[in-house]
Amino acid sequence: MSSIVATRLGRSRIALLLLPLLMAGCTGKSDGGNASNGGGGGGATPSVKVDTAGMLKTDATGKFGGRFTDATNAEPKTFNFIISKETSSSIPLSQVFDGLISRNPKTLAIDPDLAESWTTSPDGKTWTFKLRQGIKWSDGQPFSADDVVFTLSVIFDEKVDTTLRDVMKINGKPWAYKKIDDSTVQIDLPEPLGVFFEVAQFPILPKHKLESAWKAGKFNSTWGVDTNPAELVGTGPFTLAGYRVGESLTFKRNPYYWRLDASGKQLPFFDGGVTQVVPDLNTVILKFKSKETDYVALRPEDWKGMQADEASGGYKTVDNGPTWGFTYLGFNQNARATAVPDYKRAWFSKKEFRQAVSYAIDRDAMVQTVFRGLGVPLWSPVSTANTAFYDPNVKKYPHNPAMAKQLLAGLGMTDKSGTGMLVDSAGHPVEFTLFAASGNNISAAICTLIQDNLKQVGIKVDVTPMQFNALVTKINGSFDWEAVVLGFTGGVEPYTGKSIWTSPGRMHVWNPQEATPATPWEADIDKIFAAAGKETDTAKRKVLYNQFQEIVGEQQPIIFLVTAKSLGAIRNRMVGMKPNALGGFRWNMYEISAQ
Amino acid sequence: MIRFLLKRLLNMLPLVIGISFISFAILRLAPGDFVTTLSQDPNLSKEAVAQMRAEYGLDKPWLVQYFLWLFNALRLNFGYSLAYHIPVVTLMMQRLGNTLLLSICALAFSWGVAIPLGVCAAVRRNTWIDRFVSLFAFAGISTPGFFLALLLLLFAQKTGWFPIGGMHSSDADLMSPSERLWDVARHLMLPTLVLGIGGCAGIMRQMRGSLLDTLRENYITASRARGLSERVVIWKHGFRNAINPLITIFGFSLAGLLSGAALVENVMSWPGLGRLILEAVQSGDQYVVMGSFVMSATLLLLGNLFSDVLLAVTDPRIKLGRG
């Protein structure tokens, strides 16, 4: 359900596929619980005799049995986790598959999953993962280092259609990896990678199920949505029991799951669950109201009404704080953009012009009108929710039309005609066309406010909504645009935004794929990112990220606007839900139960 | 008759190919393709994007892409979906049943309601019944389907009489077969109503108008003069002559059977083809779009043929295959 952002920002949202990690060099906290037999208390579970010796004991408590029900607004496109490219596939699949490690979205720490512990060499290039012993796939086959090596071989196979490979390669070079013994895997990186944990969260797939398809060159079309769910063998808390195409996914408990509750019984608490595909957001809420689902993500406009019905509806509303993404206003500063008049590009390339626009925008009013007060103004590409890396000293631009006018006057932009509208020193009226993705209420409302705010300082803005693909083609290809409002999702490590911030980056919106940095401050950002990429010490990386945020705050290459809060409602029967803006609602389904 | 059918079927082939060409051209001349949206992931390098485009065959000129597709389609291979990585035919077959179920119910509903009401309105022209039926028809035409769907869902949520969209309850896997049948029937009611009402109005007005024209004919007056009962006059002489234009409409409506109603399917969470196609058009999953276009075009032409044959059967004045 983290896809509420996706729906609201439309496809202007960009998914950062891997969840970034916080604590580099942290060793796994493994307190292997010793309990007799898991099996769980749920009556419907198959009675499998499972040895729980190698399993991870947690402090989760709850009642066994029952099912969860929830809704997702898009259907899975594939059950093959490695080739999945959209959250509508990866979110349900993350119940079925685990990685070696994962980041806990609540604490931002690394949780050891299939790997029990790990060590790294002093040069930061060699990583050795010790796997949890005695773990079995959901069909009872043993899990081993062979599966990890197999998964890596698949990911680095150029014929496999996966976006993971490109994220994991370092300067275009693949990793080396080998099995040391059945429970040890060694990974050799071509160069040290500061954010290694970020990319080490890939899901592990079963070699015994997929190797023949991969060898036959059919990996890309294996485990499509037409697959018999019994074929999908994972190590996650649930297995897929059934899929009604376009309608619902049914999960059932994985009898071999490796986490134990506080009393040493095998998790998960639920016997299973149902995720319904409900494309329309209004219908999603109606379904929750009629008690068909256990929790729901809400839009700001739903909040008041849902709060009012809390008692009668038997649920509680939750405010998870600001989301991790950002919306921005960007100006085209690209010298290759021949379609944009030179004098306009000259304005856009001036720091003072962008700062003036930033001062002219009333972000508090934006939060009030666009998000009904349920959002926050933004000053940095790092969300304020990112307690690890947000720099509170970043330069802020509170609403100040007088300051904006003063900055614009400094550029020779004055109101010569007495109409309140500015002209530049050569006599050109100060105006530009603002593109936004069509069919997106949020960006439409934001554009209207920008138009109004800038009119107050004498800048005329024409707003033109445009179909998303057409817009992207202009921004990345023909450069035929003046200004744009779009959004990005964010992760913990700002390094994941490398392609946005460094000058050769493909997503360097204001001037993509520069041969050499066009400005000194862009060169500085390039250097900071190069250093952060190699820096394995989190504290040192934070210093670098602070420098980066301060440059961006001063230069305003793109102007950060606002972000909504992550909101939701949870039925009272649910126990153990730890929703948050980064992880969504169901990330810890293994320890959620119902009264 | 057989010759006529063969000729018409053979004529369909170039027509479908022509339609597919125009559709593909429109699809590909719009800016962006399937990879455009994916390429917005900042984690992907330029090389990876180019590689993806090459792998999907999107780096070739669109004419080449079209003829490759056509060549395969003529051998009944409609390609793979770019988003799902499975054959287009498999993907569409998964949802065919759901869409057919809903559209046949909706078709039955709208014809079952519209024909009697249309006859009723024609026979009692200018009475309050006629006006009420007309009001109903115009309200049906002018309410957008997705809006009516949302209203009915709100109604369902307030009263609890109907499930909120979908095709099965979340615990359908635990039900007995007869319970499951009833469950599907309950889920079918609201979408059938929405789609049915939308289709009603046109048919009803057509029926009314056509029957009114017929009732003005001399042979109707003559039948009345012969002392035939009003029922025989209306149903045997009037209705049978008035039905011809409706048979043509019926043929056309067969084309709509499989294209589904994407917006209503969206609001009602009905797992049908319409949603799949809408999503494919939006994301640029071009072979799924082409597959559905070919299917719809073929159905439209078949429906047309079917109504011609039906006309020949019901109306002895029409002879096929002559002239």
Side-chain angles (χ1 to χ4, degrees):
Chain A
M1 291 304 293
S2 71
S3 46
I4 184 143
V5 183
T7 326
R8 254 193 279 119
L9 289 175
R11 286 185 289 156
S12 60
R13 154 211 213 245
I14 281 80
L16 297 177
L17 286 174
L18 288 176
L19 293 176
L21 289 167
L22 170 64
M23 290 156 80
C26 148
T27 52
K29 44 172 200 291
S30 82
D31 35 355
N34 284 308
S36 52
N37 184 11
T45 40
S47 52
V48 182
K49 185 87 177 162
V50 178
D51 176 17
T52 57
M55 295 185 174
L56 176 68
K57 196 168 172 182
T58 66
D59 55 5
T61 53
K63 202 176 110 196
F64 281 89
R67 306 211 293 181
F68 67 86
T69 53
D70 57 11
T72 171
N73 38 43
E75 58 192 83
K77 302 279 184 288
T78 175
F79 295 137
N80 187 330
F81 208 150
I82 300 258
I83 66 162
S84 73
K85 296 187 183 67
E86 53 285 307
T87 49
S88 64
S89 308
S90 61
I91 290 178
L93 288 174
S94 59
Q95 303 296 327
V96 180
F97 298 94
D98 289 316
L100 293 174
I101 52 171
S102 65
R103 187 163 44 76
N104 185 314
K106 197 82 181 172
T107 62
L108 300 188
I110 299 168
D111 284 344
D113 286 355
L114 295 177
E116 196 174 58
S117 62
W118 50 87
T119 54
T120 177
S121 64
D123 65 358
K125 280 165 58 168
T126 303
W127 292 81
T128 312
F129 286 92
K130 193 83 192 150
L131 305 182
R132 217 173 277 290
Q133 290 191 42
I135 305 286
K136 287 194 167 70
W137 292 97
S138 54
D139 61 353
Q141 295 292 316
F143 160 79
S144 79
D146 290 324
D147 295 304
V148 180
V149 168
F150 167 73
T151 303
L152 283 166
S153 309
V154 169
I155 291 174
F156 285 108
D157 176 357
E158 293 288 337
K159 289 196 289 294
V160 170
D161 179 23
T162 178
T163 50
L164 286 171
R165 180 169 57 245
D166 210 49
V167 179
M168 288 163 66
K169 278 183 179 174
I170 304 171
N171 291 331
K173 281 174 276 185
W175 304 357
Y177 39 84
K178 60 178 182 238
K179 166 185 171 181
I180 304 291
D181 59 46
D182 269 351
S183 61
T184 315
V185 177
Q186 181 183 320
I187 293 173
D188 289 293
L189 303 179
E191 286 166 36
L193 182 64
V195 292
F196 173 69
F197 283 132
E198 187 133 2
V199 295
Q201 299 180 37
F202 53 89
I204 306 291
L205 298 184
K207 181 181 179 185
H208 67 280
K209 278 286 177 186
L210 288 167
E211 191 181 28
S212 56
W214 175 56
K215 288 215 163 129
K218 287 188 187 141
F219 187 81
N220 291 341
S221 53
T222 302
W223 283 9
V225 288
D226 54 345
T227 311
N228 172 10
E231 286 293 302
L232 305 177
V233 168
T235 55
F238 296 97
T239 60
L240 193 65
Y243 175 50
R244 285 188 200 279
V245 175
E247 203 191 343
S248 65
L249 297 131
T250 316
F251 296 93
K252 69 168 192 281
R253 167 200 304 280
N254 170 5
Y256 296 98
Y257 189 55
W258 49 271
R259 272 192 178 99
L260 307 173
D261 77 346
S263 63
K265 280 187 181 164
Q266 243 183 311
L267 291 172
F269 289 117
F270 281 120
D271 286 337
V274 179
T275 298
Q276 292 176 304
V277 180
V278 186
D280 188 88
L281 288 179
N282 297 310
T283 314
V284 171
I285 290 170
L286 287 176
K287 261 190 182 296
F288 178 77
K289 280 187 159 179
S290 63
K291 302 192 166 65
E292 288 187 33
T293 52
D294 288 323
Y295 64 88
V296 67
L298 298 174
R299 299 163 295 185
E301 59 261 43
D302 309 319
W303 182 249
K304 271 239 159 85
M306 291 295 285
Q307 264 196 326
D309 294 342
E310 263 188 354
S312 59
Y315 59 81
K316 289 218 163 48
T317 49
V318 286
D319 176 351
N320 303 324
T323 51
W324 289 58
F326 59 82
T327 45
Y328 66 87
L329 163 64
F331 287 108
N332 192 345
Q333 299 157 49
N334 185 346
R336 291 160 290 172
T338 45
V340 180
D342 288 338
Y343 66 89
K344 284 195 182 178
R345 234 184 22 249
W347 308 336
F348 299 155
S349 305
K350 292 244 167 50
K351 173 178 91 177
E352 292 78 12
F353 179 82
R354 300 189 303 264
Q355 287 179 333
V357 170
S358 199
Y359 276 121
I361 292 170
D362 187 352
R363 293 172 178 78
D364 290 324
M366 213 174 256
V367 167
Q368 287 305 325
T369 44
V370 180
F371 299 133
R372 308 192 183 198
L374 296 159
V376 291
L378 290 176
W379 315 108
S380 159
V382 181
S383 166
T384 49
N386 189 344
T387 48
F389 294 119
Y390 173 69
D391 175 6
N393 298 324
V394 72
K395 184 165 178 181
K396 298 178 182 64
Y397 295 82
H399 185 50
N400 189 344
M403 182 70 127
K405 278 186 185 159
Q406 192 187 324
L407 282 165
L408 292 168
L411 293 172
M413 294 175 173
T414 48
D415 175 17
K416 295 191 182 71
S417 58
T419 55
M421 301 314 279
L422 302 179
V423 289
D424 72 0
S425 45
H428 301 293
V430 182
E431 58 184 32
F432 60 83
T433 306
L434 178 59
F435 287 139
S438 57
N440 179 339
N441 298 338
I442 300 282
S443 59
I446 288 178
C447 287
T448 311
L449 277 170
I450 291 176
Q451 192 176 34
D452 190 53
N453 284 162
L454 292 186
K455 196 178 160 200
Q456 286 167 21
V457 298
I459 300 176
K460 184 171 172 245
V461 181
D462 294 315
V463 178
T464 307
M466 186 175 287
Q467 193 255 340
F468 181 72
N469 268 3
L471 183 53
V472 167
T473 311
K474 276 184 186 296
I475 291 173
N476 296 351
S478 67
F479 309 132
D480 175 17
W481 62 283
E482 293 180 355
V484 71
V485 165
L486 279 175
F488 281 105
T489 54
V492 171
E493 287 278 352
Y495 187 76
T496 43
K498 186 179 158 197
S499 156
I500 305 169
W501 302 110
T502 59
S503 62
R506 224 168 35 81
M507 306 302 297
H508 195 64
V509 188
W510 62 96
N511 193 358
Q513 298 177 26
E514 297 172 49
T516 50
T519 58
W521 55 268
E522 284 176 282
D524 289 342
I525 293 180
D526 289 0
K527 276 185 219 136
I528 291 172
F529 270 80
K534 292 201 184 77
E535 184 53 70
T536 48
D537 182 335
T538 310
K540 288 184 187 157
R541 234 176 20 255
K542 180 168 169 53
V543 173
L544 290 166
Y545 288 150
N546 283 355
Q547 289 171 9
F548 153 67
Q549 290 176 67
E550 279 152 32
I551 294 175
V552 170
E554 171 67 20
Q555 296 293 339
Q556 297 283 297
I558 55 179
I559 294 162
F560 303 102
L561 301 170
V562 288
T563 191
K565 284 182 167 183
S566 154
L567 307 168
I570 299 175
R571 207 156 290 295
N572 290 338
R573 75 180 193 112
M574 301 298 274
V575 177
M577 287 195 74
K578 298 176 184 166
N580 68 54
L582 190 62
F585 288 82
R586 59 184 294 174
W587 64 273
N588 63 336
M589 197 55 98
Y590 57 83
E591 56 175 357
I592 297 175
S593 59
Q595 277 168 357
Chain B
M1 184 72 162
I2 305 256
R3 257 194 71 199
F4 167 80
L5 281 179
L6 274 178
K7 211 172 109 192
R8 283 282 297 263
L9 284 173
L10 274 178
N11 277 339
M12 273 172 60
L13 191 66
L15 214 53
V16 172
I17 292 177
I19 292 171
S20 76
F21 179 77
I22 294 171
S23 321
F24 198 83
I26 293 172
L27 196 64
R28 288 312 319 243
L29 293 180
D33 59 24
F34 183 72
V35 176
T36 309
T37 311
L38 292 178
S39 72
Q40 295 307 296
D41 179 349
N43 286 317
L44 290 182
S45 69
K46 201 165 106 186
E47 293 73 31
V49 173
Q51 190 189 355
M52 212 188 296
R53 209 161 250 139
E55 195 174 309
Y56 293 156
L58 297 174
D59 54 340
K60 300 188 185 76
W62 71 267
L63 266 175
V64 175
Q65 290 179 36
Y66 172 73
F67 282 107
L68 275 176
W69 174 83
L70 183 65
F71 180 68
N72 284 313
L74 287 175
R75 296 180 305 167
L76 297 181
N77 169 10
F78 290 92
Y80 275 69
S81 156
L82 304 181
Y84 290 82
H85 288 89
I86 61 174
V88 168
V89 175
T90 313
L91 195 62
M92 290 177 49
M93 289 308 279
Q94 286 179 328
R95 288 148 225 256
L96 199 68
N98 301 344
T99 290
L100 266 182
L101 178 64
L102 176 57
S103 35
I104 287 175
C105 285
L107 202 67
F109 177 88
S110 50
W111 286 80
V113 169
I115 296 289
L117 281 185
V119 171
C120 192
V123 173
R124 315 239 163 109
R125 190 157 70 106
N126 290 336
T127 62
W128 68 270
I129 294 182
D130 181 24
R131 296 213 181 87
F132 182 78
V133 167
S134 299
L135 182 76
F136 172 70
F138 287 122
I141 279 188
S142 45
T143 315
F146 73 91
F147 182 65
L148 184 61
L150 203 57
L151 281 183
L152 285 176
L153 284 187
L154 260 174
F155 169 76
Q157 195 262 316
K158 292 279 179 222
T159 59
W161 294 348
F162 295 100
I164 314 294
M167 190 171 158
H168 297 86
S169 297
S170 61
D171 53 354
D173 54 321
L174 310 176
M175 289 177 178
S176 70
S178 60
E179 279 173 334
R180 204 177 298 174
L181 199 68
W182 170 236
D183 188 49
V184 173
R186 258 165 43 95
H187 282 83
L188 251 175
M189 288 175 193
L190 291 187
T192 299
L193 198 62
V194 174
L195 289 179
I197 285 180
C200 250
I203 304 166
M204 196 192 294
R205 298 298 296 173
Q206 186 70 45
M207 185 69 237
R208 178 181 178 275
S210 179
L211 188 57
L212 275 179
D213 284 347
T214 315
L215 289 181
R216 278 192 214 102
E217 297 282 342
N218 289 333
Y219 59 79
I220 297 290
T221 318
S223 331
R224 284 201 174 115
R226 288 214 315 270
L228 294 177
S229 76
E230 195 60 14
R231 226 185 74 194
V232 174
V233 172
I234 304 272
W235 289 103
K236 190 157 180 219
H237 297 276
F239 182 75
R240 277 202 63 180
N241 283 298
I243 201 77
N244 279 3
L246 283 130
I247 288 175
T248 312
I249 295 182
F250 184 73
F252 277 122
S253 67
L254 290 183
L257 271 185
L258 289 188
S259 53
L263 291 178
V264 174
E265 285 181 3
N266 240 357
V267 176
M268 291 280 187
S269 324
W270 191 265
L273 273 174
R275 241 167 71 192
L276 176 78
I277 296 165
L278 182 71
E279 214 174 276
V281 170
Q282 284 169 345
S283 69
D285 194 349
Q286 54 191 20
Y287 303 117
V288 175
V289 178
M290 290 308 290
S292 71
F293 280 172
V294 167
M295 190 185 66
S296 299
T298 312
L299 267 178
L300 180 68
L301 296 172
L302 281 179
N304 231 335
L305 180 59
F306 179 69
S307 59
D308 285 351
V309 172
L310 211 59
L311 277 177
V313 172
T314 58
D315 192 336
R317 287 171 302 186
I318 299 170
K319 292 267 188 295
L320 297 178
R322 310 256 170 89

